[in-house]
Amino acid sequence: VGSAGVLSLAGVLSLAGVLAGDSGVQPAGIPPPLDLGHTVLPGKDALSRSRGQDCREVRKQNSSEWCRFVRSNPDCRLEGGFLDYLDGVFCVFPPRLLPLAVTLYALWLLYLFIILGVTAEKFFCPNLSAISTNLKLSHNVAVFSLTCPLHGVTFLAFGNGAPDVFSAVVAFSDPRTAGLAIGAVFGAGVFVTTVVAGSIALVKPFTAASRPFLRDVIFYMVAVFLTFMVLYFGRITLGEALGYLGLYVFYVFTVVLCTWLHRRQQQEGLAPPGSWEPEAPTDAEEQESSGTNSGDYGEEYRPLLPSQETSLHILTTALSPLDYRKWRRKPWYWRLFKVIRMPVELVLLLTVPVVDPDKEDLNWKRPLNCLHILTSPLLCILTLKSGTYGLYQIHGVFPVWGLVILVGFVLAFITYITTTNEEPPKYHCVFAFLGFLASAMWINAAATELVNILRTLGIIFQLSNTVLGLTLLAWGNSIGDTFSDLTMARQGYPRMAFSACFGGIIFNILVGVGLGCLLQMTSSQPVVKLEPDSLLVWILAGALGLSLVFSFVSVPAQCFQLGKAYGICLILYYLAFLCVALLTEFRVIHLSTI
């Protein structure tokens, strides 16, 4: 995505509140959800002990009792989601096939990460960019992203950080999985600021952008310190949760102010251009490196005479997730990964409209967009609260999903007869908002399944949620960003990639923790407890803070000239941290009291 924009935090709050189901209205006829309280514990929580045994005790039972234990223990109930993974592994599969069940779950876990990445990259980010363009928001307030070459510090930061933030919000929604959120937010921070930043310095030594680096590291250290203090006092109040979001607003204001001051100095000739900013590729360079535009294949594929396509041809072409011209040019491993992604892309193409302001026709596909009027609202109502609202029957007679289909069919028919294939309608921008909402619902649904399957794996292997968050969840959410950053560095933009390591994840920790805890508060319970009962949480927080202090001191000491020695130190630091974390998890390192 080559554009950026601004999204108000109020919009983020309202959207996430809807996705989390915290509208405050419970439709008649739907039983209220299980009230698990508002105490969030990154470790084992007292709730399970008061209502039954910890679900991790299931492996200590006789194998013939696994199914009964899981189905009768309230702590083994998974909140949200479409699949009951615990019931599947302990009741559907016989005990002797447990390794097969774990293998299938691991493969499904990898595929969920693919769903998150594809949805955010190809559908969520482009629609956010289109919305910012239609709202005529500034594209000049930019920091450098991990997944998109350039993204706004608010609007498109939400797009790039959507998988991380949604995973954190879903994890915070259940006291038993809150440790996943703590582990993922801190674990991804350690991974990105050490492994990714160090790999960039190894791939291509460079001179870092001074002022943006110092600004981002200082803000990130403040965010980590605030989280450390919240964990120390064991609770987060409404004011503190709003303070997280307020700090991000202040960060946005600082970026805007710094950009404005630097440009004013350039206009007055007081500052050389690009002396402290990360370099950005030109439009021509972006098109050349991305390889996604039709122009990349030259004039040879363009028709000699203009012709009008039929609606059926437009529909079949738009629904094809495969570009045959690109397919012939790519290596075998790219083709294999593309085959794996194709089912996801096909379903997303059917349910999520994409508006592309960079295309002449704004990506207007009349038959497909009319189909989206039917499928996108249906998707939203069936994924909200795992389909609870969609399956609700009005007066016990007519289902909500049937009403959505009826209204969507009428609107799609009206749109089809009042538009043409060649020119998008004036209200085409509405499809960007519809695509934004539909892709957000996809991400929320995938994040819910991701959290549930990670908790299931933790119960099977008797691992804490914190260690699962700092390893599997953090790695999964960061792997796409890692490849994007390293590719950007190899293409000659290491300063841009390095800036992303510190600027791009500020959104994740401030909005992930602030919003995740804020959504668990009510008027009668304006406090969320965060009581870490594990040494691992403190090791994780301390490791992230120490890595930031190391970079804050060592980078200026090297006059911002970063080479292989700096990269090797960061990677060795992460390996040492990972060893200490795993030894702590398996109680090789432990303290009697903390």
Side-chain angles (χ1 to χ4, degrees), residues 19 51 503:
L19 296 178
R51 295 191 177 185

Side-chain angles (χ1 to χ4, degrees), residues 360-361 364 366 418-426 428:
E360 187 176 352
D361 62 351
W364 167 249
R366 179 187 174 210
T418 57
T419 57
T420 62
N421 291 334
E422 291 75 24
E423 186 176 352
K426 295 182 180 179
H428 187 221

